[in-house]
Amino acid sequence: GRPRTVTIAPNGSAIAAAGEDGLIRIWTLAKEADQNAEPVTLKGHDKSVNTLKFSEDGQHIASGGDDRTVRLWSLAGGRELAQQKTLYPVQAVDWSRDETVLVAGTSNADEAAGVAYSWEVVKADSGVEIKGVEIKPLRTFQVPPEGKVKQGRGMVAIALTHDGQYAVVNGAAAEIHLFRTDLRKAGLAKKSLT
């Protein structure tokens, strides 16, 4: 299917693309890699994939899509490590450099509603677990609009600080929202979203 999103690993080791068919395709860019090799294909989403983000070391990738899931994948073996359901389709994901915080912005089809999520990524010998909560904005910044602006709350982009403590989200309305994502500092009780 036609790609809707593309990304490159921070270390330049791989690129990934995904789209309407729900498949994630990953190509290795290492010099010794066979340039004619077929991409690794990750299967799990049952609708369009809207967003991808590699981990800092390029060994994992986060994805989100219209099936209302955020998924974490290991490139070694191409397997799914963890999955979380969201209220609305996932439009954007990001994670901290140390790979301990994952965030997502979601939006319904007409961008009238959306929810931001923050998860703690816990690695164990048996795999990966992600636990978290819906997060609420600390501060909202108005952007001077040009023309008519939607008044929705859908979220179409998200960015996370390197230390994973804060995220900014923008959406359909002329607003940018600042969130505290560190669950311990926000004083939020951890709960599983699965």
Side-chain angles (χ1 to χ4, degrees):
R2 183 178 67 84
R4 293 180 100 169
T5 182
V6 296
T7 189
I8 188 166
N11 61 10
S13 63
I15 60 171
E20 296 169 353
D21 61 5
L23 301 175
I24 301 166
R25 293 171 179 84
I26 301 171
W27 292 267
T28 301
L29 299 178
K31 290 181 183 177
E32 64 276 359
D34 178 3
Q35 298 303 311
N36 297 316
E38 290 292 316
V40 171
T41 302
L42 307 177
K43 299 175 185 176
H45 289 280
D46 60 14
K47 292 186 178 179
S48 295
V49 176
N50 300 324
T51 182
L52 298 169
K53 182 71 176 194
F54 276 103
S55 61
E56 188 68 20
D57 64 6
Q59 298 301 306
H60 300 95
I61 194 165
S63 62
D66 285 349
D67 62 356
R68 300 177 182 192
T69 65
V70 171
R71 297 168 190 252
L72 290 182
W73 307 84
S74 170
L75 300 189
R79 64 186 182 95
E80 184 178 301
L81 300 173
Q83 176 187 147
Q84 290 288 335
K85 290 294 240 175
T86 61
L87 183 60
Y88 300 113
V90 181
Q91 305 302 323
V93 294
D94 199 3
W95 55 4
S96 59
R97 279 193 172 177
D98 64 4
E99 301 173 31
T100 61
V101 178
L102 176 69
V103 292
T106 67
S107 179
N108 68 354
D110 65 2
E111 297 179 350
V115 177
Y117 294 89
S118 174
W119 294 283
E120 180 181 19
V121 179
V122 180
K123 296 179 184 177
D125 293 338
S126 60
V128 173
E129 182 180 8
I130 51 180
K131 297 179 179 180
V133 295
E134 175 184 331
I135 53 178
K136 305 290 185 192
L138 290 175
R139 186 169 173 196
T140 298
F141 304 90
Q142 286 296 132
V143 178
E146 290 184 21
K148 189 174 180 181
V149 175
K150 289 183 179 182
Q151 293 304 308
R153 294 287 179 235
M155 299 177 186
V156 296
I158 195 163
L160 186 63
T161 57
H162 291 303
D163 62 8
Q165 291 190 35
Y166 297 94
V168 292
V169 177
N170 82 312
E175 297 175 337
I176 297 172
H177 304 282
L178 176 68
F179 295 88
R180 180 184 303 274
T181 60
D182 186 317
L183 304 178
R184 293 171 298 269
K185 291 185 179 170
L188 300 172
K190 293 180 190 174
K191 67 175 184 175
S192 175
L193 294 177
T194 54

